[in-house]
Amino acid sequence: MAGPAAFFALFFAYPVAAIVARGLRTDGVWHLGRIADVLGQDGIRHVLWFTTWQACVSTALTLAVALPGAYVFARLDFPGKQLLRAVVTVPFVLPTVVVGTAFLALVGRGGLLDAWWGVRLDTTVWAILLAHVFFNYAVVVRTVGGLWAQLDPRQEEAARVLGASPLTAWRRVTLPALAPAVAAAALMVFLFTFTSFGVVQILGGPAFATLEVEIYRQTSEIFDLSTAAVLTVVQFAAVGAILAVHAWTVRRRETALRLVDASVTARRPRGAGQWALLAGVLSTIAVLLVLPPAVLVQRSLTAPGFGYYRALTGQAGNVFLVPPIDAVGNSLRYALAATAIAVLIGGLAAAALARRDAGRLVRGFDALLMLPLGVSAVTVGFGFLIALDEPPLDLRGSWILVPLAQALVGVPFVVRTMLPVLRAVDARLREAAAVLGASPWRVWREVDLPMVRRALLVAAGFAFAVSLGEFGATVFIARPDNPTLPVAVARLLGRPGDLNYGQAMALSTILMVVCAVALLVLERLRTDRAGEL
């Protein structure tokens, strides 16, 4: 635990504490009354209300739209199911900047709705809500559908034999068993939408701002660190409460249920109702999940002869010191370095947490690993500039600063992927190898590594995809001569002109394709691993 604890203390707790202290302390005196002053402002109260309100509505809409999809993937078997499962998961690993840009191409100026019906939904709350459903659809399908597929269907069938209607059987038997998974999925969706930044920044306009967007505005535009620090503390407290409730729901989900092999519960659709449900889910996926990226690709190709893509290689008229296409190479290099860091730190943390003799302090560290997913990435990025500015940690001019920020977001995914597999390794195998004279390093290399190799590859893939699309912290610390893809897209969208808009669409398409390819490789690894086990 020494390595992960030192990493999080130095590159997460220290920068966040530094920016909070910079905003709330003057000449060694803490001004805690500033918290009440900030929260008493009408504009801040409006931000808090909108952040909470849109997160609640986004969560409810996501559950309403995605629960039928969870049933279809859990209980029905149909051609192309594995490919469709990968398609459904693609939006979740897409950077929020790409999601915002895709919906901007669909509902914004010159978008599909504008061209066909003269309707624009950008800078409206509906664009934000739809983008959040698009982004979080896979969370519900994966979390709820994964458990639903393993529930013994004979329990519901027994209720039907005893005279219960299909709705009553589902409500009295299946829903209580699914409740912990539904609650866990709802809390994760609420967390992601509560801290939404890229989507709201692009689609919200000046009328809508979440806490994350307001922290960015107070920090980078108004330079009011005191207000930004107060909002950071508020968001930190809210995220901590959400994660505590989520941990409780996960423990409930792990209580004893009658589970069966998921491969035997899925059947071909039977009856008009199941065929209609399948058709409805497929239509929803086509319209909600496939159409926005398709429109994004189409808009990037509107210039004759791949004009927008060719413009990426030039430098005249753009906002960077280098051609925008250089952002592709920069992002790949940063993401590879961040993946290496995340796999090392996350692997060590997972190994420590997997030990059956781990103490309460070590188990408590598991919850802390999730905090970077909910704490303001804007605060972390700006905290890097404030805290890491003196030797021996003067890293402001170093390229490693970006991968370090990206790795903070990747580590939780590595831990969540590797921990269940490490816990499943029979401890007696390690003990037998040790009795035969193997050193601890050789035990890990000969026993653990062969069993967790695929999980390690999957974890690395998730860390790579997440690092590739990190935006909140990178927007502060990426240098103008080394922009990343999300930063380049946001800056191009912030400048007027069709050429800048088209280049943003082209860069978003490139970023989307890279993330989609990474996810398809992950899905193949998961399928192969399931087949071997």
Side-chain angles (χ1 to χ4, degrees):
M1 288 300 299
F7 178 81
F8 273 83
L10 194 58
F11 297 114
F12 177 68
Y14 178 46
V16 171
I19 194 171
V20 171
R22 181 71 64 92
L24 296 180
R25 190 175 64 174
T26 304
D27 297 329
V29 179
W30 288 89
H31 302 281
L32 299 181
R34 179 62 178 158
I35 297 177
D37 294 339
V38 171
L39 297 181
Q41 299 175 15
D42 291 339
I44 298 300
R45 286 204 302 267
H46 174 74
V47 170
L48 292 172
W49 164 248
F50 176 74
T51 301
T52 306
W53 174 84
Q54 64 82 24
C56 291
V57 175
S58 296
T59 302
L61 282 176
T62 303
L63 289 175
V65 174
L67 281 177
Y71 171 82
V72 165
F73 281 101
R75 293 302 199 198
L76 301 184
D77 188 23
F78 51 91
K81 181 177 177 179
Q82 291 299 327
L83 177 61
L84 194 63
R85 189 189 301 273
V87 170
V88 165
T89 311
V90 165
F92 180 69
V93 301
L94 288 182
T96 56
V97 171
V98 173
V99 175
T101 307
F103 273 83
L104 194 64
L106 178 64
V107 304
R109 172 177 55 88
L112 191 64
L113 295 183
D114 189 17
W116 286 7
W117 296 293
V119 176
R120 288 181 56 182
L121 295 179
D122 58 325
T123 69
T124 69
V125 70
W126 281 108
I128 296 172
L129 296 178
L130 289 174
H132 283 163
V133 175
F134 169 89
F135 187 77
N136 293 291
Y137 186 93
V139 175
V140 178
V141 169
R142 289 280 186 168
T143 304
V144 180
L147 179 60
W148 207 335
Q150 294 181 279
L151 291 181
D152 192 341
R154 292 175 295 182
Q155 296 176 343
E156 190 171 331
E157 293 169 359
R160 295 287 306 279
V161 169
L162 294 174
S165 65
L167 180 60
T168 301
W170 181 83
R171 181 171 56 86
R172 300 292 297 273
V173 177
T174 305
L175 183 58
L178 290 176
V182 173
L187 284 167
M188 289 306 297
V189 173
F190 185 86
L191 175 64
F192 291 138
T193 54
F194 187 85
T195 58
S196 182
F197 177 58
V199 167
V200 180
Q201 179 78 352
I202 292 174
L203 296 175
F208 303 105
T210 57
L211 269 173
E212 188 86 350
V213 174
E214 187 64 19
I215 292 172
Y216 174 76
R217 191 174 74 89
Q218 295 287 342
T219 303
S220 64
E221 298 177 9
I222 303 178
F223 303 107
D224 187 350
L225 288 185
S226 178
T227 299
V230 171
L231 297 181
T232 297
V233 172
V234 172
Q235 183 167 323
F236 189 85
V239 168
I242 294 169
L243 291 177
V245 177
H246 180 265
W248 178 71
T249 60
V250 168
R251 286 196 298 270
R252 284 188 60 206
R253 183 183 170 189
E254 292 176 349
T255 56
L257 290 173
R258 187 175 179 182
L259 303 180
V260 296
D261 185 358
S263 63
V264 303
T265 61
R267 301 176 180 176
R268 301 283 291 182
R270 294 177 296 181
Q274 289 190 348
W275 281 107
L277 180 62
L278 176 60
V281 169
L282 294 179
S283 300
T284 299
I285 292 173
V287 173
L288 181 65
L289 304 186
V290 177
L291 183 59
V295 173
L296 173 64
V297 174
Q298 183 270 331
R299 290 296 298 275
S300 73
L301 297 173
T302 52
F306 299 95
Y308 292 139
Y309 289 90
R310 287 190 289 107
L312 295 176
T313 61
Q315 192 171 341
N318 64 58
V319 296
F320 309 107
L321 301 178
V322 295
I325 194 64
D326 287 5
V328 178
N330 295 335
S331 289
L332 292 175
R333 287 191 294 271
Y334 287 145
L336 287 173
T339 300
I341 298 171
V343 168
L344 175 62
I345 300 299
L348 290 173
L353 293 169
R355 291 181 61 90
R356 288 174 172 81
D357 57 350
R360 184 173 300 177
L361 180 62
V362 173
R363 292 194 299 269
F365 190 70
D366 188 16
L368 297 179
L369 293 173
M370 296 290 291
L371 283 179
L373 295 180
V375 173
S376 170
V378 171
T379 300
V380 174
F382 197 63
F384 269 30
L385 298 181
I386 291 177
L388 306 180
D389 61 343
E390 296 180 358
L393 288 175
D394 187 2
L395 302 178
R396 289 178 300 175
S398 174
W399 65 272
I400 196 64
L401 206 60
V402 174
L404 286 173
Q406 294 173 343
L408 282 172
V409 184
V411 167
F413 288 92
V414 174
V415 174
R416 295 271 74 79
T417 302
M418 294 187 61
L419 188 56
V421 180
L422 284 171
R423 283 175 172 167
V425 176
D426 192 341
R428 291 173 297 180
L429 296 177
R430 301 189 185 102
E431 294 167 0
V435 168
L436 293 174
S439 65
W441 165 250
R442 188 174 182 184
V443 169
W444 183 87
R445 181 166 53 88
E446 300 288 347
V447 177
D448 290 80
L449 183 59
M451 295 185 177
V452 303
R453 183 170 56 244
R454 288 192 181 275
L456 185 64
L457 292 175
V458 171
F462 269 118
F464 178 80
V466 170
S467 301
L468 198 64
E470 204 287 322
F471 175 59
T474 308
V475 70
F476 274 99
I477 56 182
R479 298 189 305 185
D481 57 341
N482 285 294
T484 63
L485 277 170
V487 172
V489 170
R491 290 180 180 172
L492 287 168
L493 286 175
R495 290 177 61 87
D498 289 337
L499 180 60
N500 288 321
Y501 185 80
Q503 289 183 90
M505 297 293 165
L507 279 179
S508 296
T509 300
I510 294 172
L511 184 52
M512 179 178 66
V513 169
V514 174
C515 290
V517 169
L519 181 70
L520 290 174
V521 172
L522 293 182
E523 191 67 25
R524 180 62 181 270
L525 287 173
R526 285 177 177 273
T527 304
D528 290 348
R529 178 171 172 261
E532 289 180 1
L533 294 177

